[in-house]
Amino acid sequence: MDMKLEVVILPVSDVDRAKGFYVEQLGWRLDADFPINDGYRIVQVTPPGSECSVIFGEGLTEQPAGTLHGLQLTVTDIVKAQEELTGRGVEVSGPFRDETGAFHHAGDAHRVPGLHPERASYGTFAAFKDLDGNEWFLQEVTERAPGR
């Protein structure tokens, strides 16, 4: 049986401000904005090309705003992706790679500035935060690992 990740719930402090960031600033597709009743609102947005959406709103999670770290967006050209985000007014750190050559550590202590030396697929990252401090990573993937 297939099990596909379809939705990630994002804790935010101000729904309209978050909607402005993700839809207007990042340019993500607005799929839904359902004000169900007082204290319960669902906003769903989807990054370009993604099959997984992000939901935020009121009454959806008890997790404090800004506490989600490590969300990842996969891009085929990290330099172009960073330029696009920066052009939209988003502060992006990177590109960088992890000193181990594997996936990135939490925080930024093990980051090596610059692109992966061979520009190896899965080897280069960049990062940005939304207005609440939820942290997103970009990972450059130009060729998928076998079976992916």
Side-chain angles (χ1 to χ4, degrees):
M1 172 188 304
D2 287 348
M3 292 187 188
K4 297 180 181 184
L5 180 62
E6 183 138 341
V7 171
V8 173
I9 297 175
L10 191 66
V12 301
S13 61
D14 182 308
V15 179
D16 289 319
R17 185 176 74 143
K19 181 179 171 184
F21 177 77
Y22 285 98
V23 175
E24 295 164 22
Q25 191 166 2
L26 290 183
W28 293 11
R29 184 183 71 225
L30 176 64
D31 300 321
D33 186 347
F34 298 122
I36 307 297
N37 58 39
D38 191 35
Y40 189 55
R41 178 179 174 193
I42 304 163
V43 177
Q44 180 173 321
V45 297
T46 303
S50 180
E51 293 185 26
C52 183
S53 298
V54 174
I55 290 179
F56 52 85
E58 297 174 6
L60 300 177
T61 181
E62 293 181 0
Q63 189 172 357
T67 58
L68 206 52
H69 300 277
L71 296 163
Q72 183 168 306
L73 301 166
T74 301
V75 298
T76 56
D77 186 326
I78 204 154
V79 173
K80 284 185 180 178
Q82 185 169 358
E83 288 171 356
E84 181 177 324
L85 289 171
T86 301
R88 291 176 169 273
V90 177
E91 185 178 327
V92 181
S93 63
F96 60 86
R97 62 188 187 282
D98 191 84
E99 68 186 10
T100 65
F103 197 71
H104 60 80
H105 279 81
D108 58 8
H110 299 279
R111 292 180 183 178
V112 177
L115 299 166
H116 185 279
E118 290 86 41
R119 198 92 184 248
S121 200
Y122 300 96
T124 304
F125 300 89
F128 68 93
K129 294 181 180 181
D130 71 9
L131 302 174
D132 283 301
N134 294 303
E135 187 175 31
W136 292 86
F137 286 89
L138 305 173
Q139 182 179 34
E140 185 174 72
V141 177
T142 56
E143 185 177 329
R144 291 273 177 198
R148 296 280 327 238

